[in-house]
Amino acid sequence: MIERSGKATHQETRAHNSRLVLGTIYDRGPISRAALARSTGLTRTTVSDVVSDLIRDGLTREVGRGPSTGGKAPILLAFADDARHLVGLDLGESVFRGAIVDLRGEICSAIEVAVDDRDGNQALERVFSLVDQLLARADRPILGIGIGTAGLIDTTIGTVLEAVNLDWHGLPLGALLQARTGLPVYVTNDSRATALAEHVFGGQRASNLVVVKVGEGIGAGLILGGRLFQGDGFGAGEIGHTTVRPDGDACRCGRLGCLETVASTRAILGQLASHGISRLPDAVAALEAGDPLVRDVVVAAGRQLGLAVAWLIGVLNVERIVLVGSAAEFGEPWLSAVRETMWASALGLLADGTTLEIGRPHADGVVLGATALLMTRELGLNLTGLPDAGLEGAVAGESESDDLEISA
Ligand SMILES: [Zn+2]
């Protein structure tokens, strides 16, 4: 174990106390200094010192007085939701979406650009241009940039290890943007970002959650014990390129019969092409109009996904599974096919305890998840609502601060 100098320990303790107080104000404000001391276990003096710093930094404001409990009515403190702006990017496979977000996850301004080519350099130029446009719109100090992108991402260094459709291989996206803007940048996979958004802003926080994103590709985001679980090689939840039909169609990853080739929105539309349908809205309209062929294709895709979900249940036994992504637009017929197959294929007792639902349609799910990651890293906020968990565990190799003792 590395010995720390007294000064470093003092600074770290101070930072830890500051995160604790700020997180409590974020979750429970408006709140008085006395209530903060009770809630955090810190002394009144420590709380007052920390609060002075937070007010100076603009992150906390005094917002009037609370009810008196006998003596003088206490001054209440609230989190300043608009103190910083965050830049969030959703680098989807056909559209890049960027937004300016405040510290409570409110979208202040958003921009979308279509990405129709498959040239990695051009895709990167589009990202730079999108960030420049967003930064020009921000009228607060910028906390940083959070990015959710398709592909396999090394979150610790913000490098895209592999994103087939954007033609990015070993691209140091985080470092490039950081050098260009001077801002902190965090990059994660889009399925994981969606899981974070559902977990933090979905209104129903539990320790465990699986979010399966079914769009052009298929991926799952896993929240386990209140933390984003990434796996040893950042690939946890990458179920889309697991073979389900060894003699199946060629996949864009170069192999045959991946889950993505039978259950993604791309696969559904591919099968409907000979039926004269190539766009998702047309397929959804035909399904709603009762077209039997479209229904068969959608149900078959749902069943394939249901098998994969049954495996997830067997491995993880997580009780809440949320389906998101463009395939969710097929609605109830698709959801029923996934659910019935899941029930038929997973161990009965486990499947009975599992709820499967379509997530609220939210165009900004990836953006919000990416900015939630940024907030936890830069402000140390624990956005999970769970006492001993923090999304900061999402970034591997930086868990030392979790072991700090609090001294008041
Ligand atoms: Zn594949």
Side-chain angles (χ1 to χ4, degrees):
M1 168 141 189
I2 301 161
E3 291 237 345
R4 294 194 173 104
S5 73
K7 188 164 176 249
T9 303
H10 176 72
Q11 280 174 352
E12 285 168 2
T13 305
R14 212 178 154 80
H16 183 93
N17 291 343
S18 176
R19 286 197 298 269
L20 191 61
V21 169
L22 187 65
T24 308
I25 296 172
Y26 189 87
D27 282 339
R28 299 191 208 163
I31 184 169
S32 70
R33 286 173 177 79
L36 273 173
R38 278 196 301 278
S39 174
T40 58
L42 301 172
T43 65
R44 302 270 303 252
T45 315
T46 300
V47 166
S48 286
D49 286 351
V50 168
V51 164
S52 299
D53 290 348
L54 293 174
I55 290 176
R56 190 200 58 216
D57 293 344
L59 289 166
T60 294
R61 291 189 189 115
E62 292 184 337
V63 289
R65 290 183 180 274
S68 166
T69 50
K72 201 174 158 194
I75 295 171
L76 295 180
L77 301 159
F79 190 86
D81 295 344
D82 58 352
R84 304 280 189 279
H85 273 160
L86 297 84
V87 173
L89 300 185
D90 171 3
L91 306 184
E93 296 184 340
S94 52
V95 173
F96 285 178
R97 186 173 167 81
I100 294 287
V101 183
D102 77 6
L103 291 165
R104 196 60 72 171
E106 287 292 320
I107 305 285
C108 306
S109 178
I111 304 175
E112 259 185 21
V113 289
V115 186
D116 34 28
D117 45 62
R118 295 284 176 254
D119 180 314
N121 289 326
Q122 279 186 26
L124 185 60
E125 284 303 320
R126 294 239 162 100
V127 174
F128 288 159
S129 149
L130 190 56
V131 168
D132 291 346
Q133 290 177 61
L134 288 166
L135 289 177
R137 290 187 183 192
D139 57 8
R140 302 290 147 85
I142 305 281
L143 188 67
I145 302 172
I147 303 175
T149 176
L152 199 59
I153 318 297
D154 182 340
T155 313
T156 52
I157 52 173
T159 290
V160 181
L161 301 173
E162 185 81 36
V164 176
N165 232 37
L166 293 170
D167 188 26
W168 288 346
H169 315 274
L171 177 77
L173 181 62
L176 288 171
L177 269 177
Q178 197 152 343
R180 197 181 151 89
T181 63
L183 293 166
V185 182
Y186 296 91
V187 188
T188 191
N189 164 282
D190 57 352
S191 301
R192 256 152 256 161
T194 310
L196 284 176
E198 181 68 31
H199 183 58
V200 171
F201 302 114
Q204 193 184 337
R205 289 183 191 168
S207 298
N208 302 319
L209 169 71
V210 173
V211 174
V212 183
K213 189 163 188 275
V214 188
E216 295 279 297
I218 299 177
L222 315 176
I223 305 283
L224 302 177
R227 287 171 184 264
L228 182 66
F229 180 77
Q230 306 222 71
D232 289 335
F234 308 98
E238 286 295 319
I239 58 175
H241 294 287
T242 302
T243 303
V244 295
R245 280 191 198 159
D247 54 351
D249 294 340
C251 181
R252 53 192 174 143
C253 73
R255 301 209 317 223
L256 298 180
C258 294
L259 179 64
E260 198 174 296
T261 66
V262 294
S264 64
T265 306
R266 174 200 297 263
I268 292 172
L269 292 177
Q271 288 182 61
L272 293 178
S274 60
H275 195 53
I277 294 175
S278 59
R279 294 173 59 249
L280 180 61
D282 298 337
V284 172
L287 178 70
E288 284 168 357
D291 185 319
L293 185 140
V294 174
R295 192 182 170 86
D296 285 351
V297 168
V298 167
V299 165
R303 286 185 181 143
Q304 288 286 348
L305 186 71
L307 284 173
V309 171
W311 275 98
L312 286 174
I313 291 172
V315 173
L316 298 170
N317 184 209
V318 166
E319 292 188 338
R320 183 160 173 253
I321 298 179
V322 177
L323 304 178
V324 300
S326 58
E329 290 180 34
F330 290 114
E332 191 53 39
W334 176 74
L335 178 65
S336 295
V338 181
R339 186 185 279 140
E340 280 160 19
T341 307
M342 170 194 98
W343 272 333
S345 315
L347 185 65
L349 264 179
L350 297 185
D352 286 348
T354 305
T355 64
L356 182 76
E357 65 197 86
I358 288 180
R360 294 171 312 151
H362 202 316
D364 294 304
V366 173
V367 163
L368 291 179
T371 52
L373 182 63
L374 171 66
M375 273 194 274
T376 61
R377 296 304 306 152
E378 287 299 304
L379 296 178
L381 292 176
N382 168 6
L383 298 172
T384 66
L386 300 168
D388 293 313
L391 295 179
E392 59 264 41
V395 177
E398 296 196 36
S399 57
E400 277 177 50
S401 60
D402 291 351
D403 306 328
L404 285 181
E405 286 183 16
I406 304 159
S407 73

